[in-house]
Amino acid sequence: MTLRVSRTILRGTALAALLALVTSCGLLGGKEDKPAAQNNGPVEKSKIVVGVLPILDVAAIHVANKKGYFKEEGLEVELKTIQGGAQAIPGLVNGELDMSFGNWVSFFAAESKGAAKAVDGIKLVADGYQAKPEMFLILAPGDSAIKSPKDLAGKTVAVNTFKNIAELTAKASLEANNVDPKTVTLKEMPFPDMQAALQNKTVDAAFMVEPFISRAQRMAGAVTVLDTASGPTANIPIAGYATSGKFAKENPKTVAAFQRAIVKGQKDAADRPTVEPLLVEYAKVDKETASLVHFGEFPTTLDATRLQRVATLMKTYGLLQNDMDVKPMLLTPSGS
């Protein structure tokens, strides 16, 4: 009797040990503390090229790179500098870029015109940046006669690219201040060149973002003429990350891995001590300027209702010919 009990106990112990071993290996569907990319199989493309601008808005992707969030997901991310969202479109179409940061206006306009039809359209991967006061400004030289929005009538204002979020918010805020947008001439140039253009009078004013706002104010005495993220454009969504429909279909695990990593970066990007030294590195500004920049919001979810607001304003100000539903462009995070 004692022998039988001992054998039963021994068998039960051995079976329990075997079950524990199998479960720890994940063969019975047990959860493990390991990178999500491993839980969902290897990514289809481990090295991807992502377009970015040298501005505060992309702090999250630099944070994610620095903290190893992409590496944890099995990704190596190469960052390629572009001038604006409009430049991202051909890069996504010709395969030079796998994903890109860009403003929503450029992405929506391109999709409405079928500019990326050859690669199954543009798909939105993750939100990136949302406006707050003092981080989307039209500046003029301190010695300029331009002191208020009405003084911009008949003047030339620099923007980084045409038909983008800068143009949209500039037109909306000018009109809100009783200035006809048609009386203002826009001139295209990269953000890093705008301070010099103000100083040498190439333009009368410039639409700037951080960290170039703080640098121009501090080093060139530039003054604020108009906060374009106010009134009708207060808290407006600005930009995010996109890919082509073709890339998304062929690389769903890669896209999902990117989404998981960038959300972690977005959460951390709200922390000034984390971002300021990175601004010095990638935006090439000094430490004091980095400490003065005005932060916007770094959303962690793609929200169709919030982004639809941009498309509605675009229709109002002639950047879209027809009404547009942005929801079909959103890629719902998968594999998480």
Side-chain angles (χ1 to χ4, degrees), residues 21-171:
L21 176 62
V22 171
T23 302
S24 69
C25 293
L27 297 180
L28 294 183
K31 294 184 178 181
E32 305 166 70
D33 294 325
K34 61 182 182 180
Q38 293 181 35
N39 286 334
N40 295 281
V43 296
E44 299 87 357
K45 188 172 184 181
S46 59
K47 183 175 181 178
I48 59 173
V49 180
V50 181
V52 294
L53 289 77
I55 57 179
L56 173 59
D57 311 31
V58 298
I61 199 167
H62 291 277
V63 171
N65 246 351
K66 195 80 170 180
K67 293 196 172 185
Y69 296 152
F70 290 118
K71 187 176 181 181
E72 289 173 3
E73 295 289 349
L75 293 176
E76 179 184 346
V77 176
E78 177 187 341
L79 301 180
K80 183 178 179 64
T81 300
I82 59 175
Q83 185 170 328
Q87 188 181 341
I89 310 305
L92 293 174
V93 172
N94 63 29
E96 182 181 347
L97 301 174
D98 298 311
M99 300 184 196
S100 185
F101 185 85
N103 72 90
W104 299 129
V105 172
S106 293
F107 289 146
F108 295 163
E111 182 68 6
S112 71
K113 296 174 182 176
K117 190 175 181 179
V119 288
D120 299 329
I122 296 167
K123 297 298 179 183
L124 309 181
V125 175
D127 206 336
Y129 209 49
Q130 183 170 320
K132 286 179 68 175
E134 301 295 321
M135 41 74 53
F136 231 36
L137 304 179
I138 292 180
L139 302 178
D143 59 357
S144 170
I146 301 174
K147 302 298 182 185
S148 68
K150 65 181 178 60
D151 298 327
L152 291 169
K155 300 299 191 295
T156 298
V157 178
V159 293
N160 67 315
T161 61
F162 297 133
K163 298 187 182 302
N164 70 349
I165 191 73
E167 180 174 337
L168 174 65
T169 56
K171 286 181 174 180

Side-chain angles (χ1 to χ4, degrees), residues 210-230:
E210 293 288 16
F212 303 105
I213 290 172
S214 293
R215 188 176 71 177
Q217 290 173 332
R218 180 170 159 266
M219 301 181 70
V223 296
T224 300
V225 178
L226 178 61
D227 186 336
T228 68
S230 61

